[in-house]
Amino acid sequence: MKTPIPDYLNEVLSTLREDTTGATASYIPELAEANPDLFALAVTTGTGSTYSAGDVDTEFSIQSISKPFAYAAAIMDRGIDRVLESIGVEPSGEAFNELSLEGGTHRPKNPMINAGAIATHGLLVGERADPEARVARTLSMFSQLAGRELRIDESVCASELATADRNLATAHMLRSYGILTSDPHEVVAGYTRQCSILVTVADLSMMAATLANGGVQPRTHERVIDTDVARQVMAVMATAGMYDGAGDWLTRVGIPAKSGVAGGLVGVLPDQVGIGGFSPRLDEHGNSQRARRAFERLSADMGLHLFAPSHGRLEVVGVQRESSREVFTLQGNVQFTAAAELLDLMADSTSLSEVHVDMSRVHSFTDVARRMTLEGLRRLRMDGRRIFINDPLQSLANPDLGDGTYPERS
Ligand code: GLN
């Protein structure tokens, strides 16, 4: 059998493909020219399995999705106290390019709006750092997060710099208040290069999965971000990531997220998954219309909401193969990640005639994990296997195998 997760992602893409509302970013000429029909989605679990669908090989500039990760780098380089001196953590409730400065301190309200992100870039590495070193810091950190060598799209960068009046005005204003201490032109040039780093949806989902893991890259097992810094970044994404729509987004969808004007969208669920989406047409807030709707679907279908009870995360999956049977064991509170792992194990399944699933030590299933487990059993059944379960709590409820038969008792 094949794991059903990519099929599910493809289904989400195909239902949303007909949505052609919105338009590509008009204020950056290179982005205005992008193919508006591109659409891709990727999910990476905390254990480093990536599932993706659509235009997964397309690279696009990261744009504002760079902001939370650069913020993490700035805190690691300068310490949280120094960063908080220059940039607040209050949602602005305003558009991304609004010059929202706090009364009194003149700090940008948060690091997710351009004013805060420009100030963040100016803090990277050290007080009198070389402008190139700041760009290099973001490029190497983002590459570590993605688990591959990323590069900068120089033509997107040049195109944005040619029309960067608003960001330059913002940087000059920050300098006049002493928030920025370096040359505003240099900082805007560096920030724009940071925004021009090319990523795919899988890169975004991997970067987010690293945050979800508290800063440890799920595939390389490298600690890229300190735990308390990851927590700070996710909290700011939750309250300010979606700009003027942040409250509506957090309550309804509940996936701390950050969008970019090239059409990218990244989402993170602590301890569970990182999600990447991409489609270039933007809504009136500058968020990708289709990627936003895809996240709404994932939240609704999979119960992926920050405040959906996850009952802790003691979940264990294993497989044993003996004579004619293959025994899959599930234990604890089974949610998306564990179910995804189970499906991967089932996809690698041999052709032993009997498939047993031992759920005797399962405390609970989230709805999506239950449906995923059942779908795995159905597919194995379609491959002609005999299915047995040990499910004393009847966690699988009504385990119809799709052909009118039910699992036998293990
Ligand atoms: N580079 C873009 C800018 O500064 C990023 C904005 C965004 O993606 N929302 O305008």
Side-chain angles (χ1 to χ4, degrees), residues 27-28 63-64 67 96 114 160 167 191 195 243 259-261:
Y27 75 109
I28 302 176
Q63 298 299 341
S64 283
K67 293 171 179 174
F96 68 89
N114 285 10
E160 178 167 357
N167 284 339
Y191 158 77
C195 288
Y243 309 120
S259 65
V261 282

Side-chain angles (χ1 to χ4, degrees), residues 261-307:
V261 282
L265 187 61
V266 78
V268 52
L269 275 168
D271 263 350
Q272 295 194 58
V273 291
I275 311 171
F278 168 62
S279 198
R281 288 193 195 87
L282 309 179
D283 66 13
E284 70 276 18
H285 301 297
N287 301 323
S288 166
Q289 167 74 7
R290 286 164 164 179
R292 176 182 57 74
R293 290 189 59 198
F295 277 39
E296 291 172 354
R297 265 287 301 275
L298 296 187
S299 165
D301 292 352
M302 316 221 294
L304 293 178
H305 189 296
L306 184 60
F307 296 112

